[in-house]
Amino acid sequence: MRCERCDGELDQRFRFCPWCSAPQRLKLVAHFRGDPLIERLPVGLRVSRYLVARRHVRLSIWDEERAVAAVALEEGEAARLASFLALGEPRRRRRFRDDVRVSAIALRRELSRR
């Protein structure tokens, strides 16, 4: 494996390049708590979105200290999961300032056409 920044040789398990310190794994991570009324033990979900050449999402179930299960989803499946989770969500009511912003954008477009 080679570093994208300096082209230095590195081991696949390195998170940072030993030659230039560039991060080798770019990801976003969010943690979600399990429902304590349903789950007997404290559990949580960790979602990691990897922003590397092979973009993917990894979901892992955690007990108090460690991951007990994990699955990686490719981008298309992650988008399908996001759509599924959004089903049944009440639509957010637009606020007055959102209406003003949309109106201002439309007005700017109209004025730029003249």
Side-chain angles (χ1 to χ4, degrees), residues 51-91:
L51 306 171
V52 291
R54 178 140 168 60
R55 296 173 63 105
H56 64 284
V57 172
R58 179 174 291 276
L59 306 170
S60 51
I61 307 290
W62 285 72
D63 66 9
E64 292 178 323
E65 299 175 6
R66 63 186 176 85
V68 294
V71 64
L73 302 176
E74 53 189 31
E75 286 284 307
E77 282 298 287
R80 195 166 76 88
L81 174 61
S83 296
F84 176 76
L85 293 175
L87 289 176
E89 284 294 312
R91 291 191 182 254

Side-chain angles (χ1 to χ4, degrees), residues 23-103:
Q24 298 302 303
R25 297 183 198 166
L26 300 176
K27 67 179 178 179
L28 304 171
V29 177
H31 298 268
F32 302 90
R33 286 184 314 221
D35 185 338
L37 298 177
I38 297 173
E39 303 295 339
R40 288 190 338 240
L41 300 171
V43 230
L45 175 69
R46 184 174 93 173
V47 180
S48 304
R49 176 174 283 281
Y50 289 83
L51 306 171
V52 291
R54 178 140 168 60
R55 296 173 63 105
H56 64 284
V57 172
R58 179 174 291 276
L59 306 170
S60 51
I61 307 290
W62 285 72
D63 66 9
E64 292 178 323
E65 299 175 6
R66 63 186 176 85
V68 294
V71 64
L73 302 176
E74 53 189 31
E75 286 284 307
E77 282 298 287
R80 195 166 76 88
L81 174 61
S83 296
F84 176 76
L85 293 175
L87 289 176
E89 284 294 312
R91 291 191 182 254
R92 190 186 78 144
R93 283 185 58 195
R94 287 190 357 192
R95 292 185 243 156
F96 176 73
R97 74 174 180 210
D98 293 334
D99 290 334
V100 170
R101 186 172 52 90
V102 168
S103 298

